[in-house]
Coordinates of all heavy atoms in Angstrom, one line a residue:
M24 N 87.4 95.6 114.2 CA 88.0 94.2 114.4 C 87.0 93.2 113.8 O 85.8 93.3 114.0 CB 88.2 94.0 115.9 CG 88.7 92.6 116.2 SD 89.0 92.3 117.9 CE 90.7 92.4 117.9
A25 N 87.5 92.3 113.0 CA 86.7 91.3 112.4 C 86.3 90.3 113.4 O 87.0 89.9 114.3 CB 87.5 90.7 111.2
T26 N 85.1 89.7 113.2 CA 84.6 88.6 114.0 C 85.2 87.3 113.5 O 85.7 87.2 112.4 CB 83.1 88.5 113.9 OG1 82.7 88.2 112.6 CG2 82.4 89.8 114.3
Q27 N 85.1 86.3 114.3 CA 85.6 85.0 113.9 C 84.9 84.5 112.6 O 85.5 84.0 111.7 CB 85.4 83.9 115.0 CG 85.9 82.6 114.7 CD 87.4 82.6 114.6 OE1 88.1 83.3 115.2 NE2 88.0 81.7 113.7
K28 N 83.6 84.8 112.5 CA 82.8 84.4 111.3 C 83.4 85.2 110.1 O 83.5 84.6 109.0 CB 81.4 84.7 111.5 CG 80.5 84.2 110.5 CD 79.0 84.4 110.8 CE 78.1 83.7 109.8 NZ 76.7 83.8 110.2
Q29 N 83.7 86.4 110.2 CA 84.3 87.2 109.1 C 85.6 86.7 108.7 O 85.9 86.6 107.5 CB 84.3 88.7 109.5 CG 83.0 89.4 109.5 CD 83.1 90.7 110.2 OE1 83.7 90.9 111.2 NE2 82.3 91.7 109.6
V30 N 86.4 86.3 109.7 CA 87.8 85.7 109.4 C 87.6 84.4 108.6 O 88.3 84.2 107.6 CB 88.6 85.5 110.6 CG1 89.9 84.7 110.4 CG2 88.9 86.9 111.3
E31 N 86.7 83.6 109.1 CA 86.5 82.3 108.4 C 86.0 82.5 107.0 O 86.4 81.8 106.0 CB 85.5 81.4 109.2 CG 86.2 80.9 110.5 CD 85.2 80.3 111.4 OE1 84.0 80.1 111.1 OE2 85.6 80.0 112.6
F32 N 85.0 83.5 106.8 CA 84.5 83.7 105.5 C 85.6 84.2 104.5 O 85.7 83.7 103.4 CB 83.4 84.8 105.6 CG 82.9 85.2 104.2 CD1 82.0 84.5 103.5 CD2 83.3 86.4 103.7 CE1 81.5 84.9 102.3 CE2 82.8 86.8 102.4 CZ 81.9 86.1 101.7
F33 N 86.4 85.1 105.0 CA 87.5 85.6 104.2 C 88.4 84.5 103.8 O 88.8 84.4 102.6 CB 88.3 86.6 105.1 CG 89.5 87.2 104.3 CD1 89.4 88.3 103.5 CD2 90.8 86.6 104.4 CE1 90.5 88.9 102.9 CE2 91.9 87.1 103.8 CZ 91.7 88.3 103.0
I34 N 88.8 83.6 104.7 CA 89.7 82.5 104.4 C 89.1 81.6 103.4 O 89.7 81.2 102.4 CB 90.2 81.8 105.6 CG1 91.1 82.7 106.5 CG2 90.9 80.5 105.3 CD1 91.4 82.2 107.9
Q35 N 87.8 81.2 103.6 CA 87.1 80.3 102.7 C 87.0 80.9 101.3 O 87.1 80.2 100.3 CB 85.7 80.0 103.2 CG 85.8 79.1 104.4 CD 84.4 79.0 105.1 OE1 83.4 79.6 104.7 NE2 84.4 78.2 106.2
R36 N 86.8 82.2 101.1 CA 86.6 82.8 99.8 C 87.9 83.1 99.2 O 88.1 83.0 97.9 CB 85.8 84.1 100.0 CG 84.4 83.9 100.5 CD 83.5 83.2 99.5 NE 83.2 84.1 98.4 CZ 82.6 83.8 97.3 NH1 82.2 82.6 97.1 NH2 82.4 84.7 96.4
F37 N 88.9 83.6 99.9 CA 90.2 84.1 99.4 C 91.2 83.0 99.1 O 92.0 83.0 98.1 CB 90.7 85.2 100.3 CG 91.8 86.0 99.7 CD1 91.7 86.6 98.4 CD2 93.0 86.1 100.3 CE1 92.8 87.3 97.9 CE2 94.1 86.8 99.8 CZ 94.0 87.4 98.6
A38 N 91.3 82.0 100.0 CA 92.4 81.0 99.9 C 92.4 80.3 98.6 O 93.4 80.0 98.0 CB 92.3 80.0 101.1
P39 N 91.2 79.8 98.1 CA 91.2 79.1 96.8 C 91.7 80.0 95.6 O 92.4 79.5 94.7 CB 89.7 78.8 96.5 CG 89.1 78.7 97.9 CD 89.8 79.8 98.7
L40 N 91.4 81.3 95.7 CA 91.9 82.2 94.6 C 93.4 82.4 94.7 O 94.1 82.3 93.7 CB 91.3 83.6 94.8 CG 89.8 83.7 94.7 CD1 89.3 85.1 95.1 CD2 89.3 83.3 93.3
V41 N 93.9 82.5 95.9 CA 95.4 82.5 96.1 C 96.1 81.2 95.7 O 97.1 81.3 95.0 CB 95.7 82.8 97.6 CG1 97.2 82.7 97.9 CG2 95.2 84.2 98.0
K42 N 95.5 80.1 96.0 CA 96.0 78.8 95.6 C 96.2 78.7 94.1 O 97.2 78.3 93.6 CB 95.2 77.7 96.1 CG 95.8 76.3 95.9 CD 94.9 75.2 96.5 CE 95.5 73.9 96.4 NZ 95.5 73.3 95.1
T43 N 95.2 79.2 93.4 CA 95.2 79.2 91.9 C 96.4 80.0 91.4 O 97.1 79.6 90.5 CB 93.9 79.7 91.3 OG1 92.8 78.8 91.8 CG2 93.9 79.7 89.8
Q44 N 96.5 81.2 92.0 CA 97.6 82.1 91.5 C 99.0 81.6 91.9 O 100.0 81.7 91.2 CB 97.4 83.5 92.0 CG 96.1 84.2 91.5 CD 96.1 84.2 90.0 OE1 97.0 84.5 89.3 NE2 94.9 83.8 89.4
V45 N 99.1 81.0 93.1 CA 100.4 80.4 93.5 C 100.8 79.3 92.6 O 102.0 79.3 92.2 CB 100.3 79.9 95.0 CG1 101.4 79.0 95.3 CG2 100.2 81.0 96.0
E46 N 99.9 78.5 92.2 CA 100.2 77.4 91.3 C 100.5 78.0 89.9 O 101.5 77.5 89.2 CB 99.0 76.4 91.2 CG 98.9 75.6 92.5 CD 97.6 74.8 92.5 OE1 96.7 75.0 91.6 OE2 97.4 74.1 93.5
R47 N 99.8 79.0 89.4 CA 100.0 79.6 88.1 C 101.3 80.3 88.0 O 102.0 80.2 87.0 CB 98.9 80.5 87.8 CG 99.0 81.2 86.4 CD 97.9 82.1 86.1 NE 96.6 81.4 86.0 CZ 95.4 81.9 86.1 NH1 95.3 83.2 86.2 NH2 94.3 81.2 86.0
H48 N 101.7 81.0 89.1 CA 102.9 81.9 89.0 C 104.1 81.4 89.8 O 105.2 82.0 89.7 CB 102.5 83.3 89.5 CG 101.5 83.9 88.6 ND1 101.6 84.4 87.4 CD2 100.1 84.2 88.9 CE1 100.5 84.9 86.9 NE2 99.6 84.8 87.8
G49 N 103.9 80.3 90.5 CA 105.0 79.8 91.3 C 105.4 80.7 92.5 O 106.5 80.8 92.9
W50 N 104.4 81.4 93.1 CA 104.6 82.2 94.2 C 104.9 81.4 95.5 O 104.9 80.2 95.4 CB 103.4 83.2 94.4 CG 103.2 84.2 93.4 CD1 104.1 84.6 92.4 CD2 102.0 84.9 93.1 NE1 103.5 85.5 91.6 CE2 102.2 85.7 92.0 CE3 100.8 84.9 93.7 CZ2 101.2 86.5 91.5 CZ3 99.8 85.7 93.2 CH2 100.0 86.6 92.1
G51 N 105.0 82.1 96.6 CA 105.3 81.5 97.9 C 104.2 80.6 98.5 O 103.5 79.9 97.8
V52 N 104.0 80.7 99.8 CA 103.1 79.9 100.5 C 101.7 80.5 100.6 O 101.6 81.6 101.0 CB 103.7 79.7 101.9 CG1 102.8 78.8 102.8 CG2 105.1 79.1 101.8
V53 N 100.7 79.7 100.3 CA 99.3 80.2 100.3 C 98.9 80.7 101.6 O 98.4 81.8 101.7 CB 98.4 79.0 99.9 CG1 96.9 79.5 100.1 CG2 98.6 78.6 98.5
S54 N 99.2 80.0 102.7 CA 98.8 80.5 104.0 C 99.4 81.8 104.4 O 98.7 82.7 105.0 CB 99.1 79.4 105.1 OG 100.5 79.2 105.2
A55 N 100.6 82.1 104.0 CA 101.3 83.3 104.3 C 100.7 84.5 103.6 O 100.4 85.6 104.1 CB 102.8 83.3 104.0
I56 N 100.3 84.3 102.3 CA 99.7 85.3 101.5 C 98.3 85.6 102.0 O 97.9 86.8 102.1 CB 99.7 84.9 100.0 CG1 101.1 84.7 99.5 CG2 98.8 85.8 99.2 CD1 101.2 84.1 98.1
V57 N 97.5 84.6 102.4 CA 96.2 84.8 102.9 C 96.3 85.5 104.2 O 95.5 86.5 104.5 CB 95.4 83.4 103.1 CG1 94.1 83.6 103.8 CG2 95.2 82.8 101.7
A58 N 97.2 85.1 105.1 CA 97.3 85.8 106.4 C 97.7 87.3 106.2 O 97.1 88.1 106.9 CB 98.4 85.1 107.2
Q59 N 98.6 87.6 105.3 CA 99.0 89.0 105.1 C 97.9 89.8 104.6 O 97.6 90.9 105.0 CB 100.3 89.1 104.2 CG 100.8 90.5 104.1 CD 101.4 91.0 105.4 OE1 102.0 90.2 106.2 NE2 101.2 92.3 105.6
A60 N 97.2 89.2 103.6 CA 96.0 89.9 103.1 C 95.0 90.2 104.1 O 94.3 91.2 104.2 CB 95.4 89.1 101.9
G61 N 94.8 89.2 105.0 CA 93.8 89.3 106.1 C 94.2 90.4 107.0 O 93.3 91.3 107.4
L62 N 95.4 90.5 107.4 CA 95.9 91.5 108.3 C 95.8 92.9 107.6 O 95.4 93.9 108.3 CB 97.3 91.3 108.7 CG 97.5 90.0 109.6 CD1 99.0 89.8 109.9 CD2 96.7 90.2 111.0
E63 N 96.2 93.0 106.4 CA 96.2 94.3 105.7 C 94.8 94.8 105.5 O 94.6 96.0 105.4 CB 96.9 94.2 104.3 CG 98.4 93.9 104.4 CD 99.2 95.1 104.7 OE1 98.7 96.2 104.5 OE2 100.4 94.9 105.0
S64 N 93.8 93.9 105.3 CA 92.4 94.4 105.0 C 91.4 94.2 106.1 O 90.2 94.3 105.9 CB 91.9 93.5 103.8 OG 91.7 92.2 104.2
A65 N 91.9 93.9 107.3 CA 91.1 93.6 108.5 C 90.1 92.5 108.1 O 88.9 92.5 108.4 CB 90.3 94.9 108.9
W66 N 90.7 91.4 107.5 CA 90.0 90.2 107.1 C 88.8 90.5 106.2 O 87.8 90.0 106.2 CB 89.6 89.4 108.3 CG 90.8 89.0 109.1 CD1 91.2 89.6 110.2 CD2 91.7 87.9 108.7 NE1 92.4 88.9 110.6 CE2 92.7 87.9 109.7 CE3 91.8 87.0 107.7 CZ2 93.8 87.1 109.7 CZ3 92.8 86.1 107.7 CH2 93.8 86.2 108.6
G67 N 89.1 91.5 105.2 CA 88.1 91.8 104.2 C 87.1 92.8 104.6 O 86.1 93.0 103.9
T68 N 87.2 93.4 105.8 CA 86.2 94.3 106.3 C 86.5 95.7 106.1 O 85.7 96.6 106.3 CB 85.9 94.0 107.8 OG1 87.1 94.3 108.6 CG2 85.5 92.6 108.1
S69 N 87.7 96.0 105.7 CA 88.1 97.4 105.5 C 87.4 97.9 104.2 O 87.0 97.0 103.3 CB 89.6 97.6 105.3 OG 90.1 97.0 104.1
S70 N 87.2 99.2 104.0 CA 86.5 99.7 102.8 C 87.3 99.2 101.5 O 86.7 98.8 100.6 CB 86.5 101.2 102.8 OG 85.6 101.6 103.9
L71 N 88.6 99.4 101.6 CA 89.4 99.0 100.4 C 89.5 97.5 100.2 O 89.5 97.0 99.1 CB 90.8 99.6 100.5 CG 91.7 99.4 99.4 CD1 91.1 100.1 98.1 CD2 93.1 100.0 99.7
G72 N 89.5 96.8 101.3 CA 89.6 95.3 101.1 C 88.4 94.5 101.1 O 88.4 93.3 100.9
S73 N 87.2 95.2 101.1 CA 86.0 94.5 101.1 C 85.8 93.7 99.7 O 86.1 94.3 98.7 CB 84.8 95.4 101.3 OG 84.8 96.0 102.6
L74 N 85.2 92.6 99.8 CA 84.8 91.9 98.6 C 83.6 92.7 98.1 O 82.6 92.9 98.8 CB 84.4 90.5 98.9 CG 85.5 89.5 99.4 CD1 85.0 88.2 99.8 CD2 86.5 89.3 98.3
Y75 N 83.7 93.1 96.8 CA 82.6 93.8 96.2 C 81.4 92.9 96.0 O 81.6 91.6 96.0 CB 83.0 94.4 94.9 CG 84.1 95.5 95.1 CD1 85.2 95.5 94.3 CD2 84.0 96.5 96.0 CE1 86.2 96.4 94.4 CE2 85.0 97.4 96.2 CZ 86.1 97.4 95.4 OH 87.1 98.3 95.5
K76 N 80.2 93.4 95.9 CA 79.0 92.6 95.8 C 79.1 91.5 94.7 O 78.6 90.4 94.9 CB 77.8 93.5 95.5 CG 77.4 94.3 96.7 CD 76.2 95.2 96.4 CE 75.9 96.0 97.6 NZ 74.8 96.9 97.4
D77 N 79.7 91.8 93.6 CA 79.9 90.8 92.6 C 81.1 89.9 92.7 O 81.4 89.1 91.9 CB 79.8 91.4 91.2 CG 81.0 92.3 90.9 OD1 81.9 92.5 91.8 OD2 81.1 92.9 89.8
D78 N 81.9 90.2 93.8 CA 83.0 89.4 94.1 C 84.1 89.5 93.1 O 85.0 88.6 92.9 CB 82.6 87.9 94.3 CG 83.4 87.2 95.4 OD1 84.0 87.9 96.3 OD2 83.5 86.0 95.5
S79 N 84.1 90.6 92.3 CA 85.0 90.6 91.1 C 86.3 91.3 91.4 O 87.3 91.0 90.7 CB 84.3 91.3 89.9 OG 84.0 92.6 90.2
C80 N 86.4 92.2 92.3 CA 87.6 93.0 92.4 C 87.8 93.3 93.9 O 86.9 93.5 94.7 CB 87.5 94.3 91.7 SG 87.2 94.2 89.9
F81 N 89.1 93.3 94.3 CA 89.4 93.7 95.6 C 90.9 94.1 95.6 O 91.7 93.7 94.7 CB 89.2 92.6 96.6 CG 89.3 91.2 96.1 CD1 90.6 90.7 96.0 CD2 88.2 90.5 95.7 CE1 90.7 89.4 95.5 CE2 88.4 89.2 95.3 CZ 89.6 88.6 95.1
N82 N 91.3 94.8 96.6 CA 92.7 95.3 96.8 C 93.1 95.2 98.3 O 92.9 96.2 99.0 CB 92.8 96.7 96.3 CG 94.2 97.3 96.3 OD1 95.1 96.7 97.0 ND2 94.4 98.4 95.7
F83 N 93.5 94.1 98.7 CA 93.8 93.8 100.1 C 95.1 94.5 100.6 O 95.3 94.6 101.8 CB 93.8 92.3 100.4 CG 92.5 91.6 100.2 CD1 92.5 90.5 99.3 CD2 91.4 92.1 100.7 CE1 91.3 89.9 99.1 CE2 90.2 91.5 100.5 CZ 90.1 90.3 99.7
W84 N 95.9 94.9 99.7 CA 97.2 95.5 100.1 C 97.3 97.0 100.0 O 98.3 97.6 100.2 CB 98.3 94.8 99.3 CG 98.5 93.4 99.8 CD1 99.2 92.9 100.8 CD2 97.9 92.3 99.1 NE1 99.1 91.6 100.9 CE2 98.3 91.1 99.9 CE3 97.1 92.1 98.0 CZ2 97.9 89.8 99.6 CZ3 96.7 90.8 97.7 CH2 97.1 89.7 98.5
G85 N 96.2 97.7 99.5 CA 96.2 99.1 99.4 C 97.1 99.6 98.3 O 97.7 100.7 98.4
M86 N 97.3 98.9 97.2 CA 98.1 99.3 96.1 C 97.5 100.5 95.4 O 96.3 100.4 95.0 CB 98.3 98.2 95.1 CG 99.0 96.9 95.7 SD 100.8 97.2 95.9 CE 101.2 97.3 94.2
K87 N 98.2 101.6 95.3 CA 97.7 102.8 94.6 C 97.7 102.5 93.1 O 98.6 101.9 92.6 CB 98.4 104.0 95.1 CG 98.1 104.3 96.5 CD 98.2 105.8 96.8 CE 97.7 106.1 98.2 NZ 98.8 106.6 99.1
W88 N 96.8 103.1 92.4 CA 96.7 103.1 91.0 C 97.6 104.1 90.3 O 97.8 105.2 90.9 CB 95.3 103.3 90.6 CG 95.0 103.3 89.1 CD1 94.7 102.2 88.4 CD2 95.1 104.3 88.1 NE1 94.5 102.5 87.0 CE2 94.8 103.8 86.9 CE3 95.3 105.7 88.3 CZ2 94.7 104.6 85.7 CZ3 95.3 106.5 87.1 CH2 95.0 105.9 85.9
K89 N 98.2 103.8 89.2 CA 98.9 104.8 88.4 C 98.6 104.4 86.9 O 98.4 103.3 86.6 CB 100.4 104.8 88.7 CG 101.1 103.6 88.3 CD 102.6 103.8 88.7 CE 103.4 102.5 88.2 NZ 104.8 102.7 88.4
D90 N 98.7 105.4 86.1 CA 98.4 105.3 84.7 C 99.4 104.2 84.1 O 100.6 104.2 84.4 CB 98.6 106.6 84.0 CG 98.1 106.6 82.5 OD1 97.1 105.9 82.3 OD2 98.7 107.3 81.7
G91 N 98.8 103.3 83.4 CA 99.6 102.2 82.7 C 99.8 101.0 83.6 O 100.5 100.1 83.2
C92 N 99.2 100.9 84.8 CA 99.4 99.8 85.6 C 98.6 98.5 85.2 O 98.8 97.4 85.7 CB 99.1 100.1 87.1 SG 97.4 100.4 87.5
G93 N 97.7 98.7 84.2 CA 97.0 97.6 83.7 C 95.7 97.2 84.3 O 95.1 96.1 84.1
C94 N 95.1 98.0 85.2 CA 93.9 97.7 85.9 C 93.1 99.0 86.1 O 93.6 100.1 86.0 CB 94.1 96.9 87.2 SG 95.1 97.8 88.4
D95 N 91.8 98.8 86.5 CA 90.9 99.9 86.8 C 91.2 100.4 88.2 O 92.1 99.9 88.9 CB 89.5 99.4 86.6 CG 88.5 100.6 86.5 OD1 88.9 101.7 86.3 OD2 87.3 100.3 86.4
Y96 N 90.5 101.4 88.6 CA 90.7 101.9 90.0 C 89.4 102.3 90.6 O 88.4 102.4 90.0 CB 91.6 103.2 89.9 CG 91.0 104.4 89.2 CD1 90.2 105.3 89.9 CD2 91.3 104.6 87.9 CE1 89.7 106.4 89.3 CE2 90.7 105.7 87.3 CZ 89.9 106.6 88.0 OH 89.4 107.7 87.3
K97 N 89.5 102.5 91.9 CA 88.4 103.0 92.7 C 88.9 104.0 93.6 O 90.0 103.8 94.2 CB 87.7 101.8 93.5 CG 86.5 102.2 94.3 CD 85.8 101.0 94.8 CE 84.6 101.4 95.6 NZ 83.5 102.0 95.0
E98 N 88.2 105.1 93.8 CA 88.7 106.2 94.6 C 88.2 106.1 96.1 O 87.1 105.7 96.3 CB 88.3 107.6 94.1 CG 88.9 107.9 92.8 CD 88.6 109.3 92.2 OE1 87.5 109.8 92.6 OE2 89.3 109.8 91.4
F99 N 89.1 106.3 97.0 CA 88.8 106.3 98.4 C 89.5 107.4 99.1 O 90.6 107.9 98.7 CB 89.4 105.0 99.1 CG 88.6 103.8 98.7 CD1 89.1 103.0 97.7 CD2 87.5 103.4 99.5 CE1 88.4 101.8 97.4 CE2 86.9 102.2 99.2 CZ 87.3 101.4 98.1
K100 N 88.9 107.9 100.2 CA 89.6 108.9 101.0 C 90.6 108.1 101.8 O 90.3 107.0 102.3 CB 88.6 109.5 102.0 CG 87.7 110.6 101.4 CD 86.8 111.2 102.4 CE 85.9 112.3 101.7 NZ 85.0 112.9 102.7
T101 N 91.7 108.7 102.0 CA 92.8 108.1 102.8 C 93.6 109.1 103.4 O 93.6 110.3 103.0 CB 93.7 107.2 101.8 OG1 94.6 106.5 102.6 CG2 94.4 108.0 100.8
K102 N 94.3 108.8 104.5 CA 95.2 109.7 105.2 C 96.6 109.5 104.7 O 97.1 108.3 104.6 CB 95.1 109.5 106.7 CG 93.8 110.0 107.2 CD 93.7 110.0 108.7 CE 92.4 110.5 109.1 NZ 92.2 110.6 110.6
E103 N 97.3 110.6 104.5 CA 98.7 110.5 104.1 C 99.5 111.3 105.2 O 99.0 112.3 105.7 CB 99.0 111.2 102.8 CG 98.3 110.4 101.6 CD 98.9 109.1 101.3 OE1 100.2 109.0 101.4 OE2 98.2 108.2 100.9
Q104 N 100.7 110.8 105.5 CA 101.5 111.5 106.6 C 102.4 112.5 105.9 O 103.2 112.1 105.0 CB 102.2 110.5 107.4 CG 102.9 111.0 108.6 CD 103.4 110.0 109.5 OE1 103.8 108.9 109.1 NE2 103.6 110.3 110.8
N105 N 102.5 113.7 106.5 CA 103.5 114.7 106.1 C 104.8 114.4 106.7 O 104.9 113.6 107.7 CB 103.0 116.1 106.4 CG 101.7 116.5 105.7 OD1 101.7 116.3 104.5 ND2 100.8 117.0 106.4
K106 N 105.9 115.0 106.2 CA 107.2 114.9 106.8 C 107.2 115.3 108.3 O 108.0 114.7 109.1 CB 108.2 115.7 106.0 CG 108.5 115.1 104.7 CD 109.5 115.9 103.9 CE 109.8 115.4 102.5 NZ 110.8 116.1 101.8
D107 N 106.4 116.2 108.7 CA 106.4 116.6 110.1 C 105.6 115.7 111.0 O 105.5 116.0 112.2 CB 105.9 118.1 110.2 CG 104.4 118.2 109.8 OD1 103.7 117.2 109.6 OD2 104.0 119.4 109.8
G108 N 105.0 114.7 110.5 CA 104.3 113.7 111.3 C 102.8 113.9 111.3 O 102.0 113.1 111.7
S109 N 102.3 115.1 110.8 CA 100.9 115.4 110.7 C 100.3 114.6 109.6 O 101.0 114.1 108.7 CB 100.7 116.9 110.6 OG 101.2 117.3 109.3
Y110 N 99.0 114.6 109.6 CA 98.2 113.8 108.6 C 97.3 114.7 107.8 O 96.8 115.7 108.4 CB 97.4 112.7 109.2 CG 98.2 111.5 109.7 CD1 98.8 111.5 110.9 CD2 98.5 110.5 108.8 CE1 99.5 110.5 111.4 CE2 99.3 109.4 109.3 CZ 99.8 109.4 110.5 OH 100.5 108.4 111.0
I111 N 97.1 114.4 106.5 CA 96.1 115.1 105.7 C 95.2 114.0 105.1 O 95.7 112.9 104.9 CB 96.7 116.0 104.7 CG1 97.6 115.3 103.7 CG2 97.4 117.2 105.3 CD1 98.0 116.0 102.5
T112 N 94.0 114.4 104.8 CA 93.1 113.4 104.2 C 93.0 113.8 102.7 O 92.8 115.0 102.4 CB 91.7 113.5 104.8 OG1 91.8 113.1 106.1 CG2 90.7 112.5 104.1
I113 N 93.2 112.8 101.8 CA 93.2 113.1 100.4 C 92.2 112.0 99.8 O 91.9 111.0 100.4 CB 94.6 113.0 99.7 CG1 95.1 111.5 99.9 CG2 95.5 114.0 100.3 CD1 96.3 111.3 99.0
V114 N 91.9 112.2 98.5 CA 91.2 111.2 97.7 C 92.2 110.6 96.8 O 92.9 111.3 96.0 CB 90.0 111.8 96.9 CG1 89.4 110.7 96.1 CG2 89.0 112.4 97.9
A115 N 92.4 109.3 96.9 CA 93.4 108.6 96.1 C 92.8 107.5 95.3 O 91.8 107.0 95.7 CB 94.5 108.1 97.0
K116 N 93.4 107.2 94.2 CA 93.0 106.1 93.3 C 93.7 104.8 93.7 O 94.9 104.8 93.8 CB 93.3 106.4 91.9 CG 92.5 107.6 91.3 CD 92.9 107.9 89.9 CE 92.1 109.1 89.4 NZ 92.6 109.6 88.1
F117 N 93.0 103.8 94.0 CA 93.5 102.5 94.4 C 93.2 101.5 93.3 O 92.1 101.5 92.7 CB 93.0 102.0 95.8 CG 93.5 102.8 96.9 CD1 92.8 104.0 97.3 CD2 94.6 102.4 97.6 CE1 93.3 104.8 98.4 CE2 95.1 103.2 98.6 CZ 94.4 104.4 99.0
R118 N 94.1 100.6 93.1 CA 93.9 99.5 92.1 C 92.7 98.7 92.4 O 92.5 98.3 93.5 CB 95.2 98.7 92.0 CG 96.4 99.4 91.5 CD 97.6 98.5 91.4 NE 98.8 99.3 91.1 CZ 99.9 98.8 90.6 NH1 100.0 97.4 90.5 NH2 100.9 99.5 90.4
K119 N 92.0 98.3 91.3 CA 90.9 97.3 91.4 C 91.3 96.1 90.6 O 91.6 96.2 89.4 CB 89.7 98.0 90.7 CG 88.5 98.1 91.6 CD 87.4 98.9 90.9 CE 86.4 98.0 90.2 NZ 85.3 98.7 89.6
Y120 N 91.4 95.0 91.3 CA 91.9 93.8 90.6 C 90.7 92.8 90.3 O 89.8 92.7 91.1 CB 92.9 93.0 91.5 CG 94.2 93.8 91.7 CD1 94.4 94.4 92.9 CD2 95.1 93.9 90.7 CE1 95.6 95.0 93.2 CE2 96.3 94.6 90.9 CZ 96.5 95.1 92.2 OH 97.7 95.8 92.4
K121 N 90.8 92.1 89.3 CA 89.9 91.0 89.0 C 90.3 89.8 89.8 O 91.4 89.7 90.2 CB 89.9 90.7 87.5 CG 89.4 91.8 86.7 CD 89.1 91.5 85.3 CE 88.7 92.8 84.6 NZ 87.8 92.7 83.6
N122 N 89.4 88.9 90.1 CA 89.6 87.8 91.0 C 90.2 86.6 90.3 O 90.3 85.5 90.8 CB 88.4 87.4 91.8 CG 87.3 86.8 91.0 OD1 87.5 86.6 89.8 ND2 86.2 86.5 91.6
S123 N 90.5 86.8 89.0 CA 91.1 85.6 88.3 C 92.5 85.9 87.7 O 93.0 86.9 87.8 CB 90.2 85.2 87.1 OG 90.0 86.3 86.3

């Protein structure tokens, strides 16, 4: 669980990036996008959602990478659910996005 300080840091760092993209692409509401990203990434504290040291790439929604998707990837261990409800741990490629 993220601390209040981590939540505030996430919002301060991520909201301006979202605002830029909303204006550029005509997307929805900044606050809704920031809130969803915060929930999906435990406010930037999950392994996949963490802001990298250079602040250049992050994947707050857990989008998996596939050939031809136009971005680089980072591999993480993740759990996938089988049809019978059981889980297995695999190594999957997740998209790595630039912050601009």
Side-chain angles (χ1 to χ4, degrees):
M24 176 180 258
T26 66
Q27 184 65 32
K28 190 173 185 175
Q29 289 169 316
V30 171
E31 290 171 5
F32 174 79
F33 179 88
I34 292 169
Q35 289 170 358
R36 299 290 289 171
F37 191 56
L40 300 172
V41 172
K42 185 176 185 290
T43 299
Q44 295 304 315
V45 163
E46 291 169 353
R47 180 181 294 164
H48 300 289
W50 294 342
V52 180
V53 173
S54 60
I56 296 169
V57 172
Q59 186 65 37
L62 292 173
E63 295 279 347
S64 70
W66 299 100
T68 64
S69 69
S70 296
L71 185 59
S73 295
L74 293 172
Y75 297 131
K76 289 182 182 176
D77 64 359
D78 216 19
S79 65
C80 302
F81 33 79
N82 181 346
F83 296 127
W84 291 275
M86 298 283 294
K87 292 209 173 115
W88 179 89
K89 66 179 184 176
D90 192 32
C92 69
C94 59
D95 200 4
Y96 66 88
K97 184 166 176 70
E98 291 183 339
F99 287 94
K100 285 185 180 178
T101 186
K102 290 188 178 181
E103 297 290 325
Q104 189 172 26
N105 293 315
K106 288 181 182 182
D107 66 5
S109 63
Y110 288 89
I111 58 168
T112 300
I113 64 167
V114 175
K116 295 175 181 177
F117 290 87
R118 294 180 188 197
K119 235 173 97 174
Y120 296 106
K121 295 189 183 215
N122 69 3
S123 55

